[in-house]
Amino acid sequence: MSGMRSFLIAGNWKMNGDSGHIRELATGISSGHEPVEGVDVLVCPPFPYIASVAGLLAGSGIAVGAQTVSENGNGAFTGDVSATMLKDIGAAFVIVGHSERRTLNGETDTQVAAKFVAAQAEGIVPVLCVGETLEEREAGATEAVIGRQLAAVLDAAGIGAFKKAVIAYEPVWAIGTGKTATPEQAQDVHRHIRGLLAAEDEQVAGGVQILYGGSMKGENAAGLLGMSDIDGGLIGGASLKVDDFLAIVRAGAAVRK
Ligand code: PEP
């Protein structure tokens, strides 16, 4: 099944950088990147830099996305950014439900599902993050947590919506901690996620890209990307350095060859 799916290597720059650094990062990635069939690349800068990065990466084959989106349409929502605006400035993807947003901004499953729907309504591909905390894993609740997070989106958007969506499995205990899930630990959860979707529609389940996120780097990428249900990575820390990010892209290219 994995032969049918392209990899997506996605950088989540979080709230980092300034104009100079962002320009260096974008131009460095674009000049060092050798496009390979079956390996798609995406970067998600902070809101203020999306438009300029989209301009810098135009024609490079590297897509640009946002890190979150409002669930509302344009209107009286001070400080928020709509999917219409993201589309207007060149964002093709948006991360929704990142664990930092769920934890620090109190985003609920229902709200995340509404963001997913709002993005798709503008033709933006949502990258839906799901994942358990260490406490939840140790309590044996990993599958229940992921099932709940996914069910909220299935209820709001339906299985058909996953034809144009990406899922990122991000164990919270592995994000920014230097602890990575082993390829087998990640594969187990990825297989479970695909199984939940397959119960609704096997064809959709077979096509959806499920990325792994959590301290992915050049050294561990090949092992993770070699697993049959892992279709790429969502990368935080290592996406902030040109060489580290490109090493992961190259690891994906080597697995796909
Ligand atoms: C993330 O926050 O999406 C992430 C995976 O971060 P890191 O790679 O730094 O663990």
Side-chain angles (χ1 to χ4, degrees):
M1 231 169 21
S2 70
M4 293 154 40
R5 293 185 296 270
S6 303
F7 279 147
L8 176 63
I9 307 297
N12 171 13
W13 295 352
K14 307 194 181 182
M15 197 170 73
N16 291 295
D18 56 22
S19 305
H21 181 237
I22 296 263
R23 168 175 285 272
E24 270 172 36
L25 195 51
T27 52
I29 290 170
S30 113
S31 60
H33 175 53
E34 289 165 21
V36 169
E37 191 157 339
V39 183
D40 301 328
V41 182
L42 164 68
V43 295
C44 299
F47 282 137
Y49 304 112
I50 291 173
S52 65
V53 170
L56 291 168
L57 295 181
S60 69
I62 300 170
V64 180
Q67 300 171 15
T68 185
V69 63
S70 171
E71 59 271 41
N72 297 300
N74 288 352
F77 299 99
T78 303
D80 281 352
V81 176
S82 70
T84 316
M85 293 169 183
L86 291 182
K87 185 182 180 187
D88 186 39
I89 61 169
F93 291 78
V94 62
I95 298 168
V96 297
H98 190 279
S99 67
E100 285 153 17
R101 305 270 334 157
R102 291 180 190 262
T103 308
L104 304 172
N105 299 75
E107 289 183 8
T108 63
D109 291 335
T110 313
Q111 212 178 346
V112 170
K115 291 173 188 291
F116 180 106
V117 169
Q120 281 195 334
E122 290 294 343
I124 297 175
V125 177
V127 179
L128 170 68
C129 299
V130 297
E132 81 288 0
T133 62
L134 184 60
E135 208 177 25
E136 289 163 341
R137 173 164 282 262
E138 285 175 347
T142 299
E143 293 190 354
V145 169
I146 284 158
R148 190 200 73 219
Q149 291 170 334
L150 209 53
V153 179
L154 282 167
D155 285 351
I159 182 69
F162 284 87
K163 284 184 201 152
K164 289 190 176 157
V166 174
I167 297 174
Y169 168 55
E170 299 209 305
V172 178
W173 48 271
I175 297 178
T177 57
K179 282 187 204 159
T180 318
T182 65
E184 293 73 21
Q185 275 176 325
Q187 167 60 21
D188 279 352
V189 179
H190 283 233
R191 190 197 301 111
H192 178 70
I193 292 170
R194 204 179 300 286
L196 292 173
L197 298 177
E200 308 263 339
D201 186 317
E202 276 196 36
Q203 211 180 338
V204 173
V208 70
Q209 288 168 314
I210 308 177
L211 318 183
Y212 167 79
S215 302
M216 194 187 253
K217 35 188 183 288
E219 303 88 77
N220 59 31
L224 289 157
L225 295 173
M227 305 308 281
S228 61
D229 287 297
I230 302 186
D231 309 312
L234 181 56
I235 298 116
S239 75
L240 291 168
K241 293 203 179 121
V242 172
D243 292 345
D244 292 354
F245 185 64
L246 289 178
I248 299 172
V249 176
R250 276 195 297 273
V255 173
R256 270 291 172 263
K257 254 180 207 150

